[in-house]
Amino acid sequence: MSKSVFDQMMDRYVVLTAEDHTNALHEVMQQITLAGLYRAGFFNVAAFYGGTCLRIFHSLPRFSEDVDFSLLQANPDFSLEHYFDAIHDEFKAYGREVVISKKAKKQPSPIESAFLKDNTEIYNISFQTAPKVKIKIEVDTRPLMGFSTEPKLLLLPFSFIVRCYTLPDLFAGKMHALLFRGWKNRVKGRDWYDFEWYVRQGIPMGFEHFACRAQQTQGFEQGIITRPFFIELLKKKILQTDIKLVKNDVFPFIKDPTKMEIWSTDYFLQLVDFIKIQEQ
């Protein structure tokens, strides 16, 4: 008996632990979600960005949970719910059922969010004993401009094209998140992991897009964002961050934690000197 496409996609992963299994499920669900959105024409109006984009299309060696999109033009009336049927249908085609629920907003926000959960009732028994797997989908309905996109090919569950941010502008978005993410006492170590990856890959940062994001950040009153000011801001952030907390956040998403042994305040300060800036 031939395996289903879903099982073939799962077979691509080395699964040794329950955490490995959860990470693999996340990624397969993310790719099927992208396929459903593609069929519905979503990428005519939106682009894929963030850590999951980096993981799926640029082989970032860490797993990622959220699926982040940005509209190409601001549209406060946009509703992700218009694409729910397409996502449902795509999962059904591979023998799976999903439940999609809209996240209630506590306050007005330009971010459209939804949680996509697997329905464990129709999964086989191995899934029934596992924790529920869900991915969060977010769409920025009032995007900041200054970014570029490119078409990227995904081969599974079938061959299709996804509109993605270019690498320099993905880098810019990541640095904005690292510097301005609104978490009071929490540290998102995955931002730091990606920062290191971009620098080690020699990818230049799209400074125009970073500056555009920074200038529109609530509570950050600054006129023209210069490159020296960005470097100063980043080094200050590094000095204020507990690198142990950074490491702890990343552990569940990577295969080889020993690669973080060199991580220290001094290590990240020196990484700053290797950042390349994209020339306009």
Side-chain angles (χ1 to χ4, degrees), residues 236-254:
K236 182 179 179 181
K237 181 73 172 183
I238 293 169
L239 289 169
Q240 293 174 340
T241 300
D242 185 338
I243 303 302
K244 288 182 180 179
L245 296 180
V246 170
K247 290 182 179 181
N248 289 339
D249 181 73
V250 177
F251 279 138
F253 300 93
I254 62 174

Side-chain angles (χ1 to χ4, degrees), residues 75-89:
N75 180 4
D77 297 323
F78 174 86
S79 176
L80 187 63
E81 293 179 42
H82 294 156
Y83 298 90
F84 282 5
D85 285 347
I87 297 173
H88 278 296
D89 290 346

Side-chain angles (χ1 to χ4, degrees), residues 88-114:
H88 278 296
D89 290 346
E90 199 64 37
F91 276 91
K92 284 182 181 179
Y94 306 113
R96 296 294 189 271
E97 292 281 349
V98 293
V99 175
I100 308 175
S101 58
K102 187 172 182 179
K103 183 181 178 182
K105 297 178 181 179
K106 294 181 180 179
Q107 55 189 15
S109 168
I111 303 297
E112 179 84 6
S113 301

Side-chain angles (χ1 to χ4, degrees), residues 211-225:
C212 191
R213 282 179 172 268
Q215 288 166 344
Q216 298 299 317
T217 300
Q218 187 174 7
F220 181 67
E221 306 300 333
Q222 181 71 25
I224 297 174
I225 308 294

Side-chain angles (χ1 to χ4, degrees), residues 140-175:
D140 188 345
T141 60
R142 299 175 189 171
L144 297 169
M145 295 295 98
F147 63 86
S148 300
T149 66
E150 61 181 347
K152 299 294 291 184
L153 174 65
L154 195 58
L155 298 178
L156 288 173
F158 58 89
S159 294
F160 63 99
I161 297 293
V162 175
R163 185 196 295 265
C164 300
Y165 274 38
T166 59
L167 277 169
D169 290 333
L170 282 168
F171 191 3
K174 179 55 62 175
M175 295 314 298

Side-chain angles (χ1 to χ4, degrees), residues 34-280:
L34 291 173
L37 290 171
Y38 164 80
R39 288 193 198 271
F42 178 75
F43 296 107
N44 294 326
V45 299
F48 189 24
Y49 75 101
T52 304
C53 179
L54 208 59
R55 165 74 184 175
I56 291 175
F57 288 105
H58 300 285
S59 301
L60 178 73
R62 75 160 178 87
F63 286 95
S64 183
E65 294 177 310
D66 300 347
V67 184
D68 299 313
F69 302 103
S70 169
L71 295 185
L72 303 178
Q73 300 290 335
N75 180 4
D77 297 323
F78 174 86
S79 176
L80 187 63
E81 293 179 42
H82 294 156
Y83 298 90
F84 282 5
D85 285 347
I87 297 173
H88 278 296
D89 290 346
E90 199 64 37
F91 276 91
K92 284 182 181 179
Y94 306 113
R96 296 294 189 271
E97 292 281 349
V98 293
V99 175
I100 308 175
S101 58
K102 187 172 182 179
K103 183 181 178 182
K105 297 178 181 179
K106 294 181 180 179
Q107 55 189 15
S109 168
I111 303 297
E112 179 84 6
S113 301
F115 288 95
L116 188 154
K117 305 177 183 179
D118 64 283
N119 187 337
T120 55
E121 292 182 359
I122 68 163
Y123 279 25
N124 63 39
I125 194 166
S126 63
F127 283 144
Q128 289 175 352
T129 58
K132 278 194 172 183
V133 175
K134 67 180 180 181
I135 60 173
K136 183 170 72 172
I137 306 168
E138 290 194 348
V139 182
D140 188 345
T141 60
R142 299 175 189 171
L144 297 169
M145 295 295 98
F147 63 86
S148 300
T149 66
E150 61 181 347
K152 299 294 291 184
L153 174 65
L154 195 58
L155 298 178
L156 288 173
F158 58 89
S159 294
F160 63 99
I161 297 293
V162 175
R163 185 196 295 265
C164 300
Y165 274 38
T166 59
L167 277 169
D169 290 333
L170 282 168
F171 191 3
K174 179 55 62 175
M175 295 314 298
H176 177 265
L178 187 150
L179 289 170
F180 298 105
R181 193 181 292 279
W183 291 6
K184 294 181 180 179
N185 299 315
R186 292 178 58 197
V187 173
K188 188 165 185 180
R190 285 156 280 178
D191 289 343
W192 296 75
Y193 184 94
D194 296 357
F195 164 40
E196 181 202 39
W197 184 87
Y198 281 112
V199 175
R200 288 177 55 83
Q201 297 296 313
I203 296 165
M205 188 187 86
F207 192 78
E208 179 184 351
H209 185 52
F210 170 80
C212 191
R213 282 179 172 268
Q215 288 166 344
Q216 298 299 317
T217 300
Q218 187 174 7
F220 181 67
E221 306 300 333
Q222 181 71 25
I224 297 174
I225 308 294
T226 64
R227 296 179 187 183
F229 179 75
F230 159 69
I231 297 299
E232 178 187 345
L233 202 63
L234 180 54
K235 289 186 174 181
K236 182 179 179 181
K237 181 73 172 183
I238 293 169
L239 289 169
Q240 293 174 340
T241 300
D242 185 338
I243 303 302
K244 288 182 180 179
L245 296 180
V246 170
K247 290 182 179 181
N248 289 339
D249 181 73
V250 177
F251 279 138
F253 300 93
I254 62 174
K255 289 283 189 181
D256 186 7
T258 62
K259 292 184 178 180
M260 293 192 296
E261 289 178 355
I262 193 174
W263 284 20
S264 65
T265 299
D266 184 62
Y267 174 65
F268 281 101
L269 286 173
Q270 293 202 40
L271 271 184
V272 174
D273 297 330
F274 287 88
I275 294 177
K276 296 179 181 178
I277 301 295
Q278 184 182 55
E279 299 297 333
Q280 300 300 322

